[in-house]
Amino acid sequence: MIRSTALAAVASAAIGLARADEGKGGKCTIAVKGDSPTAKACAKGGRDEAKKMMKEMVKIAKGNGQKFTCDGCHKDLDNYELTKNATEDFKKLEAAQKK
């Protein structure tokens, strides 16, 4: 009885965590390590926060005379799969945050 109660509690907690990720636009799968602004945003609020951060970075880069687009680095904007040049372009995007 105690064992089944413990298993039920663990399952309930797992479902709660999965739902929390759903509320955040999903769990980050790309920027999950490091100290980049995007990785920090992912840790804070999942994909929704990461997306906001990336859009802000693109906006700042544009203000500094650089042009970046979402589909320049992402093959698919549903799962955010990266293009071959995404890592290099992200480094350029980070550099474009400074005037």
Side-chain angles (χ1 to χ4, degrees):
M1 182 71 167
I2 293 173
R3 186 175 189 184
S4 64
T5 303
L7 287 174
V10 170
S12 178
I15 290 169
L17 288 175
R19 287 188 179 144
D21 279 340
E22 288 172 13
K24 298 178 187 174
K27 184 178 179 181
C28 289
T29 57
I30 297 171
V32 294
K33 295 181 182 176
D35 63 350
S36 73
T38 310
K40 290 177 183 177
C42 277
K44 178 182 174 190
R47 280 188 176 171
D48 283 348
E49 283 296 316
K51 186 176 178 180
K52 287 179 194 174
M53 177 56 67
M54 291 297 298
K55 286 186 175 208
E56 182 64 22
M57 290 175 73
V58 168
K59 181 180 172 182
I60 291 169
K62 182 179 179 181
N64 290 335
Q66 300 291 318
K67 183 179 179 187
F68 293 89
T69 61
C70 299
D71 59 2
C73 292
H74 296 280
K75 291 180 186 180
D76 183 334
L77 296 179
D78 289 326
N79 66 16
Y80 300 100
E81 181 181 355
L82 298 176
T83 61
K84 290 179 183 180
N85 59 307
T87 302
E88 266 317 297
D89 287 347
F90 184 74
K91 290 175 188 175
K92 293 175 187 174
L93 177 62
E94 284 185 306
Q97 301 307 293
K98 305 170 190 133
K99 270 194 163 183

